Amino acid sequence: MTTNLDFIEECERHLKGKFAQTDDIAYHNQVKVLSAFRNNRIAVRHFVGTTGYGYGDEGRDTLGKLYADVFNAEAGIVSPHLLSGTHSLSVALFGLLKSGDTLFCLSGMPYDTIRPVILGENIGSLKDMGVNFVCCDLDKNGKMNFSEIREKFSENVKVVYIQRSRGYELRDAFSCEEIGKACEFVRSLGFKGCIFVDNCYGEFVEKIEPTDVGADLCVGSLIKNAGGGLAPTGGYIVGKSEYIEAIGRRLTAPSIGLEVGSYAFGYQYFYQGLFMAPHTVAQALKGSLLIGYAMSKLGFINYPSIDKMPYDITRCIEFDDSDKMQNFIREVQYASPIDSFVCCEAWDMPGYDDKIIMAAGTFVSGASIELSADGPVKPPYVAYFQGGLTYEHCRYALERILSKLR
Ligand SMILES: *Cc1c(COP(=O)(O)O)cnc(C)c1O
């Protein structure tokens, strides 16, 4: 049998073309981000924090403009006060919807932690506030089902919701091209409201973003792709000014909107993280391609297919075996820079129905742009794997995993 390193090198030879494509995308996005920095005349003074109300906080306001520029949007909120992806999505939905409105989801049931936000009982959910929810299931190929969308669509729809990445579902992420077609389709049905994209894990994976192809709003987490591994916390919301202003009034208070909000530590890591993000995402993508190819070679079904370019930085690997899945996740933890001595155990994480086992030996707590793996401990025992600040780290984790599996 070949050594693990020989096996990895063989995988890398097969992936040469995909790696070159990934580099090309990263270069395009790096230039895009740098142009936005230049257009917005970013300077050292933007890193300075403020305290108290934060009136006139230039670092905060300019960061929103910078993100808007990168995403080809009119305005943006980028804030450490958006506590996570879930919180960013929740604030945005509550900012846009009122009693009697319908939220219309095109991409199947939304991500686990968003479901209670929409459908929870007596917890202050959108449902509790009188917002209706209509969900279109995906077709058997995991694609958005346009005939079902046409059937279920109604006049009351105020927000159309699309989730780009797979979450804990066995489907591929949607490409921006697919999202663009869905936007066009709902417009052809006469829809005039807001098209809203959960962009978690999708940023900088392609040369374009959903806001380039008809989405009105993109929302994501800064401890995933967009923070480049440097942002210590936070989320972003970019899109049409009228929507951003409405959401800003919800994030703070209707009387003060986006005029307030301080962050004493300052904003350097948010700016620098965005600068790094195209490169970091490329590292994670290459890591995902490598591990995907290697696991396929060993006979483990995994998505997205390694015959295609991926549309997000996550990969799910089916183990059909609880121990193998949990051992894979533990090996990712043992390969981590932080808490490498910890043996992961499944637990009842807030916001999830099943027990989750999670490897996150990360500098930023729970950051999944850093090498991490997790999954609900239930059949078919699928591990979700994502991130990697450096390709080398992913490669090393794979080498360890191989020594367990081969
Ligand atoms: C991670 C994720 C979220 C939630 O983000 P958190 O920061 O974990 O709250 C929402 N949607 C999708 C598709 C995600 O992958």
Side-chain angles (χ1 to χ4, degrees):
M1 196 163 80
T2 54
T3 68
N4 291 330
L5 271 178
D6 287 341
F7 177 68
I8 289 174
E9 281 170 14
E10 187 192 320
C11 295
E12 285 172 325
R13 276 193 292 278
H14 278 274
L15 288 165
K16 248 191 172 151
K18 294 223 166 42
F19 283 6
Q21 262 175 284
T22 306
D23 289 337
D24 177 53
I25 292 167
Y27 183 70
H28 177 95
N29 285 327
Q30 188 70 75
V31 171
K32 177 159 70 170
V33 166
L34 276 168
S35 307
F37 270 75
R38 295 199 343 271
N39 291 344
N40 288 278
R41 302 174 64 86
I42 303 305
V44 171
R45 71 175 190 283
H46 293 118
F47 303 160
V48 176
T50 59
T51 58
Y53 295 118
Y55 293 135
D57 185 324
E58 210 191 341
R60 175 198 69 211
D61 292 345
T62 308
L63 188 59
K65 289 186 186 130
L66 178 67
Y67 262 69
D69 204 337
V70 168
F71 283 83
N72 191 16
E74 290 172 5
I77 305 171
V78 185
S79 176
H81 306 123
L82 290 168
L83 308 179
S84 66
T86 303
H87 183 224
S88 308
L89 290 159
S90 180
V91 166
L93 288 171
F94 276 99
L96 295 170
L97 290 156
K98 58 185 191 325
S99 181
D101 290 346
T102 296
L103 171 64
F104 190 71
C105 182
L106 308 189
S107 49
M109 273 310 274
Y111 189 73
D112 300 52
T113 58
I114 309 304
R115 290 176 200 175
V117 172
I118 298 171
L119 290 168
E121 304 272 353
N122 299 318
I123 56 167
S125 67
L126 288 167
K127 184 179 178 191
D128 291 334
M129 305 294 209
V131 174
N132 306 308
F133 179 62
V134 176
C135 182
C136 299
D137 293 323
L138 299 177
D139 68 18
K140 60 181 187 310
N141 300 315
K143 299 295 171 195
M144 288 182 268
N145 186 336
F146 285 12
S147 55
E148 186 173 336
I149 291 168
R150 188 202 306 276
E151 267 165 42
K152 290 188 170 172
F153 184 78
S154 76
E155 296 270 285
N156 294 335
V157 174
K158 286 286 143 51
V159 173
V160 162
Y161 189 96
I162 301 171
Q163 181 180 307
R164 181 170 173 185
S165 179
R166 69 173 60 79
Y168 289 125
E169 305 289 326
L170 282 181
R171 64 153 169 101
D172 282 350
F174 297 120
S175 66
C176 285
E177 191 186 343
E178 288 172 293
I179 290 170
K181 284 191 180 135
C183 293
E184 218 172 276
F185 185 72
V186 291
R187 292 299 181 210
S188 79
L189 300 176
F191 180 63
K192 301 237 160 44
C194 177
I195 302 179
F196 180 122
V197 174
D198 172 353
N199 205 28
C200 284
Y201 288 135
E203 301 89 353
F204 304 121
V205 166
E206 295 183 72
K207 291 183 181 178
I208 52 173
E209 298 292 336
T211 33
D212 287 308
V213 290
D216 296 310
L217 213 60
C218 266
V219 181
S221 163
L222 299 189
I223 63 169
K224 294 180 180 173
N225 304 20
L230 286 176
T233 186
Y236 77 89
I237 305 169
V238 290
K240 287 227 166 86
S241 300
E242 57 172 311
Y243 299 134
I244 294 297
E245 279 159 26
I247 294 163
R249 292 190 290 271
R250 183 73 202 198
L251 170 63
T252 63
S255 49
I256 52 182
L258 294 172
E259 303 290 329
V260 295
S262 64
Y263 189 61
F265 296 118
Y267 301 100
Q268 180 185 332
Y269 288 131
F270 299 92
Y271 284 95
Q272 196 175 352
L274 178 64
F275 166 75
M276 287 300 295
H279 176 74
T280 309
V281 167
Q283 299 292 295
L285 276 174
K286 286 184 191 174
S288 167
L289 285 164
L290 178 68
I291 289 174
Y293 190 84
M295 294 303 283
S296 297
K297 281 279 217 181
L298 298 180
F300 294 94
I301 296 173
N302 68 88
Y303 309 84
S305 154
I306 31 107
D307 301 329
K308 302 188 296 198
M309 285 298 281
Y311 292 122
D312 68 4
I313 64 160
T314 75
R315 175 163 300 280
C316 45
I317 304 165
E318 255 187 75
F319 286 90
D320 272 322
D321 181 297
S322 175
D323 285 342
K324 275 190 190 145
M325 174 226 178
Q326 295 193 60
N327 283 335
F328 173 91
I329 285 169
R330 289 186 179 125
E331 217 49 54
V332 171
Q333 184 74 33
Y334 296 142
S336 299
I338 312 302
D339 294 336
S340 58
F341 47 86
V342 167
C343 176
C344 298
E345 295 288 344
W347 66 299
D348 292 304
M349 273 178 78
Y352 298 87
D353 285 340
D354 305 292
K355 275 198 181 343
I356 307 274
I357 179 167
M358 178 177 257
T362 55
F363 290 92
V364 170
S365 181
S368 46
I369 183 64
E370 299 185 44
L371 188 67
S372 51
D374 51 75
V377 182
K378 64 166 183 193
Y381 301 104
V382 173
Y384 294 78
F385 169 93
Q386 63 274 315
L389 295 180
T390 71
Y391 173 72
E392 293 77 14
H393 183 193
C394 302
R395 193 179 194 263
Y396 172 67
L398 176 63
E399 198 188 336
R400 291 192 63 123
I401 289 162
L402 291 176
S403 50
K404 278 277 143 63
L405 287 176
R406 285 180 86 213

